[in-house]
Amino acid sequence: MAHNGESKPKFAMYWAASCGGCEIAVLNTHELILEVDANFDVVFWPVAMDAKYHDVEAMDDGSITLCLFNGAIRNDENEEMAHLLRRKSQLLVAFGSCASEGCIPGLANLYSKQTMLDTAFSTITTDNPGAVRPIIAYDMPEGRIEILRTLDQVVKVDYSMPGCPPESHQIAAVVRLVIDALHGNAALPPRGAVIGAGDSTVCDECRRTRSEKTITEFRRMATFQPDPVQCLLEQGILCSGMATRSGCDARCPSANMPCIGCYGPAAGVVDQGARMMSAVASVIGGNDPKEIRAIMRGIADPAGTFYRFSLPSSLLRHAKV
Amino acid sequence: MIPANSDDVRIGVYVCQCGSNIGSVVDCEGVAAWAGENLPHVAVARENKFMCSSLGQEMIEKDIRELGLNRVVVAACSPHLHEATFRGACQRAGLNPFLFDMVSIREQVSWVNTDKGIATEKAKALISGGVRRVAHNEPLDPITVKIDPNVLVVGGGIAGIQAALEIADAGYHVYLVEREPSLGGHMAQFDKTFPTLDCSACILTPKMFTAGNHKNITLLTYSEVEKVDGYIGNFTVRIRQKARKLNTATCTGCGLCEEKCPKKVIDDVFEAGLGYRKAIYRPFPQAVPKYPVIDTENCTYFQRGTCKVCQKFCPTGAIDFGQEDEVLTVNVGNIILATGFDLFDCRRIPQYGYGRLANVFTSLEFERLSNAAGPTGGKVVLRDGVSVPQTVCIVHCAGSRDRNYNKYCSAICCMQSLKFAHLVKERTGARVYNCYIDIRTPAKAYDEFYQHIIEEGIIFVRGKVAEVTDAVRLAGEEGKLIVQVEDTLVGKQRRIPVDMVILSAGLEPRYDAKEVGKLFGISCSMDGWFIERHPKLDPVATMTDGIFIAGSCQGPKDIPAAVAQGAAAAARVQGLISRREITLEPVRAQVDEAKCSGCRICNTMCPFNAISFRADPTRPGGGVTEINPALCQGCGTCVAACPAGAIRGTHFTDEQIMAQIEGVLLRNPAREHAVEKEAVYA
């Protein structure tokens, strides 16, 4: 990568439809953030510094060396920024689960716009005395509300980095790699690769003991204290570790909590939820359809469980509503 | 290996008209032209009247050589029919046969659609799927496996005996498993056989004896198969040999125990409920093997703890009350199922009165009644055991050709009824009526037999019997059974008073045919009969390699047909044995060890026990899963189950399947998702 010694390479980070957790994860790299500052000019990072969209528009195309784009594409504003930053960036990274797979906001793809807005603006938990609603009958500057898309469904991305949010040690490793590459000390992975994660699954990093599985009852965390050593799935807890890309050091199972799948599908897998369902269905005990149905009823919110992070990037993408 | 999206992929598409089979419904020319213009990587697209003809095959070979094709798609009939044909054509031209893909536009399109427009569009969609899939196909090498020359034959009726003898005579070892205590099956219950009226026992018992004493046959009677593992050439079968409660090594078959046993039991199986047997018994005198069994449910000793009369009288001390079932495991290369049929239960037709009206008999009851070794010594008498019937009516199609019971024709009932008519006439001189729907006597010498029976003075009434009743309405009906039937040739209702009615019961699949099919990995038709590989061209093979079927388990059959099938199945098996090894489809599951995290989801999945877990303490998961390629049958269960995508189904990879689905769904390139994506990337 061309690196002019006089002016530092430029860094940008943007949030589209996201919660802000990815930004915090970047800050969680602690002193590494100083290295970012030492090696890059931070030209655009709304959460950390003031900048206007027209400042970005004024930049030369391809002038941003590294852009970490987090958040999914929910509306026109998100989409416009995706195209803008694509144009301005040499390396556009789909950063975090929302940008890579759609994540939690993507579960709204199961519902109609109307239902989604009702839920967001008019439930009992919402303080909205004026019943203010976004106007969706017109193309507003804020944008159309459409199904949620991942970044790579809108623009071509150079790398994807999974995680909700990505683990700080993985962010640190990726930033170091880019810095090293800029100094000519390392090669960047091939374009299109998933970075900041492993290639196998969370089970590969999980230290729990496992044996042949037959599930006769699904149980939820709130109802009992799971054994800290045995595989959680074998204890009837829907742990997504087996269908989720490695890279987090199995943090949740290590803390006696099931993996919820935030690192997305394993390498080469198209549909994490389908894989998960197929695997779980394979180990449900019983031969009698009634008995099997009774076991299956123990799965609370199947769509939200199996597709918690990956609905918009799955084969399903969204419900037909 | 050329990558799927490479410009070097050159696909030939061939659309077959199959005469008018496809051509009359699908616009084959249009489809071929469309494929050539619109589908990616298609170097040539042609149509032909018969792609399977040598001209069709040569066309493919020529194109491969001259146009440098490296993938071939043929849209024609089902892969079951001609996949091998076209793979062969590819191979002859130097192309790996697995770079070929077949699209069914006959079974899946032209035979199931009448609208030409829709059919043509569907053909295009399927071909689009095939073309996209074949781009991802990889060259594969077939797997060869050795064939174990030992054979398992299940069922000791005439079909099974014939099959076992043929194979044993050829010098190969046979395990012949029979559920009942003796060989013989239904044929052993008959007195005479149609159309020659020769004695059933006279022609059957020599075969039974030979089978029982053949050096190449291990006879396992009173035994059932419990588990079958493996695949063609290498099956492992677990057989439970039920305890006879006597030691066959010392038993001489003298029959003294049977004679002395104080407990009489109604024999519902062999004597069809007409006679008795003892609690220790042989089903019939010529039983093979000659050893009796103790029926523990009826034996006084087993029920009350005292008696032991058999033990006291046995001259060789063979009785062993403590004997347990034996479980043995045998290895065989091929399996023949000849599990036979069950008789239709005539109680299901209440208006025929069986079970309610004493002198209504089933066909099997009559077989025993007319059998010289039967409960009456061959005397045809009424249920009271003494009265000789003066008039007898034989009711055809009881439970067959009837939408309330079985729609099919049981094939043997006409001839069996004619035989009964003859035997009744011969033994009693009674007036005999045959009430039939149609007389079906198509086989060799069968119609001559029918003509002969007519000449004997048997009365034929063409009509389906409505009712058999003892409710008297007219004079002369007192004390008789009245057969109510419409004589359709005369166009009149008739009430025929008779002394005896014989219901010519149909044949039904064994009550447990479905479970047995599952055990051996084969399927049953809607009616419940085992399904053959092809109804005309492959009648004794099944869709599972190495499993053959013979006799009435495949559908109702008379003795000659059952024997022919037994011999045919044996010939098929011998053909396989003499090849010593066979090539199998290299469609197998493979584990990518780098991706396997040892989650063990798949470990219990494999129906062929090909999956094992290799402990490896250096891995966090404690090990990896392995698949034995010799045991794997490529069913794909584990491939679907693997949450990590670490198991790959050769020839059915995710890429191939997804490409095919995309092809089918997005047939119109203008609407292509891919195009949309490219535009985004630009």
Side-chain angles (χ1 to χ4, degrees):
Chain A
M1 189 170 301
H3 174 217
N4 183 329
E6 283 164 25
S7 70
K8 286 192 280 182
K10 294 183 170 57
F11 174 88
M13 185 159 185
Y14 182 70
W15 50 2
S18 73
C19 68
C22 286
E23 325 278 331
I24 292 166
V26 171
L27 295 176
N28 252 347
T29 58
H30 304 300
E31 62 278 5
L32 184 90
I33 205 75
L34 300 174
E35 255 184 77
V36 173
D37 185 52
N39 283 279
F40 292 98
D41 270 338
V42 179
V43 293
F44 181 61
W45 190 356
V47 79
M49 53 178 271
D50 188 29
K52 298 288 180 247
Y53 290 165
H54 58 73
D55 296 336
V56 182
E57 281 158 15
M59 295 175 192
D60 290 340
D61 284 0
S63 63
I64 300 172
T65 315
L66 175 65
C67 175
L68 304 182
F69 190 109
N70 72 83
I73 310 302
R74 160 74 71 204
N75 56 26
D76 277 3
E77 182 194 7
N78 303 148
E79 184 167 359
E80 189 182 321
M81 285 307 290
H83 285 293
L84 180 62
L85 287 168
R86 168 71 282 179
R87 214 160 54 237
K88 301 298 172 190
S89 309
Q90 291 173 35
L91 292 178
L92 179 68
V93 177
F95 187 84
S97 180
C98 287
S100 305
E101 281 108 36
C103 199
I104 310 281
L107 285 173
N109 282 4
L110 292 168
Y111 304 96
S112 68
K113 281 182 209 172
Q114 199 56 45
T115 314
M116 183 179 75
L117 291 172
D118 286 348
T119 306
F121 293 92
S122 309
T123 54
I124 199 158
T125 56
T126 314
D127 186 14
N128 188 7
V132 177
R133 300 285 286 261
I135 299 162
I136 55 170
Y138 303 96
D139 274 353
M140 298 294 287
E142 291 86 0
R144 274 183 350 254
I145 295 174
E146 287 293 346
I147 62 154
L148 183 132
R149 286 169 293 167
T150 64
L151 185 59
D152 84 328
Q153 286 167 357
V154 178
V155 295
K156 182 171 183 170
V157 302
D158 298 302
Y159 300 109
S160 294
M161 197 166 166
C164 181
E167 285 297 318
S168 294
H169 75 274
Q170 293 282 15
I171 301 173
V174 166
V175 170
R176 284 224 172 79
L177 177 70
V178 175
I179 292 171
D180 285 350
L182 290 172
H183 291 295
N185 297 329
L188 288 171
R191 296 293 164 108
V194 171
I195 55 172
D199 285 337
S200 63
T201 64
V202 173
C203 288
D204 219 8
E205 298 177 330
C206 177
R207 297 277 161 184
R208 286 172 179 267
T209 59
R210 56 204 81 152
S211 46
E212 291 184 355
K213 302 179 194 344
T214 307
I215 301 176
T216 51
E217 186 194 1
F218 288 108
R219 297 196 283 179
R220 302 184 74 177
M221 292 302 295
T223 61
F224 77 117
Q225 182 70 37
D227 180 274
V229 179
Q230 192 195 7
C231 167
L232 288 166
L233 188 65
E234 284 164 27
Q235 299 182 55
I237 296 168
L238 269 173
C239 175
S240 303
M242 57 186 177
T244 303
R245 190 184 276 268
S246 57
C248 62
D249 290 339
R251 288 191 72 158
C252 297
S254 309
N256 223 14
M257 287 295 284
C259 167
I260 54 173
C262 78
Y263 260 62
V269 171
V270 182
D271 194 312
Q272 184 187 14
R275 281 281 172 198
M276 180 75 188
M277 269 191 281
S278 179
V280 169
S282 302
V283 291
I284 289 180
N287 288 318
D288 171 44
K290 260 194 202 147
E291 186 188 345
I292 293 169
R293 263 200 297 279
I295 298 173
M296 302 251 283
R297 272 197 288 275
I299 302 175
D301 183 17
T305 303
F306 298 122
Y307 286 102
R308 189 179 276 131
F309 293 94
S310 63
L311 182 69
S313 63
S314 70
L315 295 171
L316 302 172
R317 287 180 164 215
H318 59 89
K320 275 207 163 171
V321 286
Chain B
M1 174 65 208
I2 303 159
N5 51 3
S6 154
D7 288 342
D8 297 334
V9 171
R10 293 175 64 76
I11 304 173
V13 176
Y14 300 89
V15 184
C16 180
Q17 295 186 8
C18 193
S20 60
N21 272 310
I22 298 169
S24 64
V25 185
V26 174
D27 171 15
C28 295
E29 211 171 315
V31 169
W34 172 86
E37 282 165 26
N38 293 289
L39 296 179
H41 305 303
V42 173
V44 63
R46 303 183 196 276
E47 53 93 38
N48 192 277
K49 194 125 185 142
F50 290 106
M51 279 308 299
C52 61
S53 66
S54 46
L55 285 177
Q57 294 185 54
E58 282 159 17
M59 181 161 82
I60 296 174
E61 291 171 49
K62 190 161 167 266
D63 284 354
I64 292 172
R65 288 201 190 93
E66 293 179 3
L67 303 176
L69 300 182
N70 46 37
R71 301 283 194 286
V72 170
V73 171
V74 175
C77 51
S78 147
H80 280 309
L81 231 57
H82 274 306
E83 189 175 58
T85 309
F86 298 119
R87 279 183 177 174
C90 292
Q91 195 154 29
R92 283 195 297 279
L95 188 67
N96 184 288
F98 292 90
L99 296 174
F100 158 79
D101 219 76
M102 190 148 182
V103 176
S104 169
I105 58 166
R106 193 179 75 171
E107 283 80 349
Q108 293 187 5
V109 179
S110 68
W111 280 358
V112 290
N113 283 292
T114 47
D115 184 302
K116 283 191 182 186
I118 290 172
T120 301
E121 288 308 298
K122 187 176 173 190
K124 285 180 186 173
L126 293 177
I127 292 169
S128 163
V131 166
R132 266 152 220 278
R133 180 191 203 280
V134 84
H136 293 268
N137 281 19
E138 292 166 14
L140 300 171
D141 294 317
I143 298 169
T144 56
V145 294
K146 291 216 168 354
I147 301 251
D148 187 320
N150 294 348
V151 181
L152 172 73
V153 176
V154 185
I158 186 60
I161 291 172
Q162 184 70 31
L165 285 176
E166 299 264 357
I167 296 166
D169 285 345
Y172 304 113
H173 198 86
V174 177
Y175 297 94
L176 177 54
V177 175
E178 165 60 46
R179 184 186 278 176
E180 296 295 328
S182 169
L183 290 179
H186 282 102
M187 189 176 167
Q189 294 169 285
F190 305 159
D191 184 42
K192 296 280 187 281
T193 57
F194 57 75
T196 47
L197 294 174
D198 48 350
C199 155
S200 185
C202 308
I203 56 174
L204 177 66
T205 46
K207 278 189 181 283
M208 286 166 57
F209 182 81
T210 314
N213 295 282
H214 204 294
K215 68 175 170 41
N216 286 335
I217 295 180
T218 302
L219 185 58
L220 300 164
T221 48
Y222 212 40
S223 302
E224 290 196 62
V225 174
E226 286 191 332
K227 194 163 185 284
V228 182
D229 288 323
Y231 52 95
I232 181 169
N234 300 275
F235 291 105
T236 304
V237 184
R238 196 172 76 204
I239 301 164
R240 175 174 296 269
Q241 198 163 22
K242 289 171 276 186
R244 285 177 180 262
K245 305 290 181 193
L246 60 83
N247 189 346
T248 53
T250 44
C251 174
T252 59
C254 68
L256 199 59
C257 52
E258 216 173 332
E259 194 186 313
K260 298 293 181 189
C261 175
K263 175 81 180 191
K264 266 190 173 183
V265 185
I266 291 177
D267 184 357
D268 279 325
V269 180
F270 192 79
E271 294 294 1
L274 288 183
Y276 292 92
R277 61 166 169 80
K278 297 292 183 66
I280 183 166
Y281 72 105
R282 283 174 299 188
F284 52 102
Q286 308 96 320
V288 172
K290 61 194 172 188
Y291 316 117
V293 295
I294 294 181
D295 165 11
T296 54
E297 275 174 29
N298 287 299
C299 168
T300 312
Y301 170 72
F302 277 96
Q303 293 306 315
R304 296 206 206 117
T306 54
C307 181
K308 295 193 178 182
V309 168
C310 48
Q311 200 175 41
K312 271 174 224 142
F313 282 95
C314 178
T316 58
I319 305 292
D320 176 5
F321 293 117
Q323 194 180 53
E324 298 279 336
D325 289 1
E326 252 182 77
V327 175
L328 45 117
T329 302
V330 300
N331 295 317
V332 296
N334 290 280
I335 297 173
I336 297 173
L337 296 181
T339 50
F341 63 92
D342 277 336
L343 206 66
F344 174 80
D345 180 3
C346 291
R347 286 180 183 83
R348 288 171 58 197
I349 315 181
Q351 64 269 31
Y352 285 179
Y354 178 69
R356 177 165 52 85
L357 303 172
N359 290 318
V360 177
F361 290 79
T362 66
S363 39
L364 198 60
E365 283 177 331
F366 183 80
E367 291 283 4
R368 295 310 301 155
L369 214 53
S370 61
N371 193 305
T376 60
K379 279 197 216 102
V380 176
V381 287
L382 297 182
R383 196 77 68 173
D384 64 9
V386 284
S387 316
V388 177
Q390 302 298 307
T391 45
V392 176
C393 180
I394 300 165
V395 177
H396 290 224
C397 300
S400 309
R401 303 184 67 197
D402 184 331
R403 68 173 68 171
N404 297 310
Y405 309 105
N406 294 309
K407 282 188 195 162
Y408 54 82
C409 166
S410 289
I412 54 108
C413 329
C414 281
M415 287 299 289
Q416 135 183 305
S417 302
L418 298 175
K419 176 184 81 178
F420 292 165
H422 168 82
L423 293 177
V424 172
K425 192 90 184 164
E426 177 190 78
R427 310 257 164 105
T428 65
R431 189 177 169 83
V432 184
Y433 295 88
N434 266 267
C435 294
Y436 68 98
I437 307 176
D438 297 292
I439 291 285
R440 297 187 165 174
T441 54
K444 191 172 178 181
Y446 282 16
D447 206 64
E448 293 89 320
F449 184 69
Y450 172 39
Q451 299 304 328
H452 173 71
I453 300 300
I454 292 174
E455 282 161 22
E456 281 184 0
I458 309 293
I459 303 155
F460 286 86
V461 179
R462 186 177 187 276
K464 189 176 166 67
V465 170
E467 189 184 14
V468 179
T469 176
D470 57 354
V472 178
R473 223 192 281 162
L474 306 171
E477 290 181 355
E478 298 87 352
K480 300 272 184 188
L481 294 171
I482 301 102
V483 178
Q484 174 83 46
V485 59
E486 182 190 354
D487 188 331
T488 57
L489 295 181
V490 186
K492 266 172 75 170
Q493 283 289 337
R494 290 186 67 173
R495 287 173 66 83
I496 308 170
V498 295
D499 299 322
M500 179 191 236
V501 169
I502 305 167
L503 303 177
S504 206
L507 272 43
E508 285 195 332
R510 283 278 189 208
Y511 69 93
D512 59 350
K514 237 188 201 128
E515 286 86 70
V516 171
K518 215 168 158 192
L519 184 66
F520 290 91
I522 63 171
S523 28
C524 296
S525 67
M526 290 288 279
D527 295 321
W529 306 104
F530 291 150
I531 300 179
E532 62 279 10
R533 197 178 187 99
H534 191 281
K536 291 160 214 119
L537 303 180
D538 215 349
V540 295
T542 66
M543 295 307 279
T544 304
D545 290 333
I547 309 279
F548 297 86
I549 49 177
S552 290
C553 61
Q554 181 260 1
K557 246 166 233 73
D558 56 19
I559 294 166
V563 170
Q565 282 212 333
R572 291 293 304 272
V573 168
Q574 287 170 52
L576 284 164
I577 297 171
S578 64
R579 279 157 68 176
R580 289 195 179 82
E581 58 178 32
I582 59 155
T583 55
L584 297 180
E585 287 263 312
V587 176
R588 293 291 180 266
Q590 291 171 338
V591 178
D592 179 347
E593 289 200 3
K595 284 187 181 175
C596 174
S597 60
C599 74
R600 307 197 64 175
I601 285 281
C602 61
N603 286 190
T604 51
M605 294 282 95
C606 183
F608 306 99
N609 296 326
I611 295 181
S612 57
F613 186 73
R614 190 185 76 218
D616 179 353
T618 65
R619 300 179 70 116
V624 286
T625 286
E626 291 182 322
I627 294 173
N628 179 343
L631 292 175
C632 173
Q633 292 294 287
C635 71
T637 307
C638 61
V639 181
C642 177
I647 311 183
R648 191 168 180 273
T650 321
H651 210 52
F652 290 91
T653 61
D654 284 358
E655 295 77 35
Q656 285 170 310
I657 294 169
M658 294 310 295
Q660 185 164 13
I661 293 172
E662 271 197 29
V664 169
L665 295 179
L666 306 162
R667 182 182 57 66
N668 182 350
R671 294 202 306 256
E672 283 248 302
H673 172 59
V675 173
E676 188 187 307
K677 257 197 168 168
E678 275 159 28
V680 162
Y681 288 173

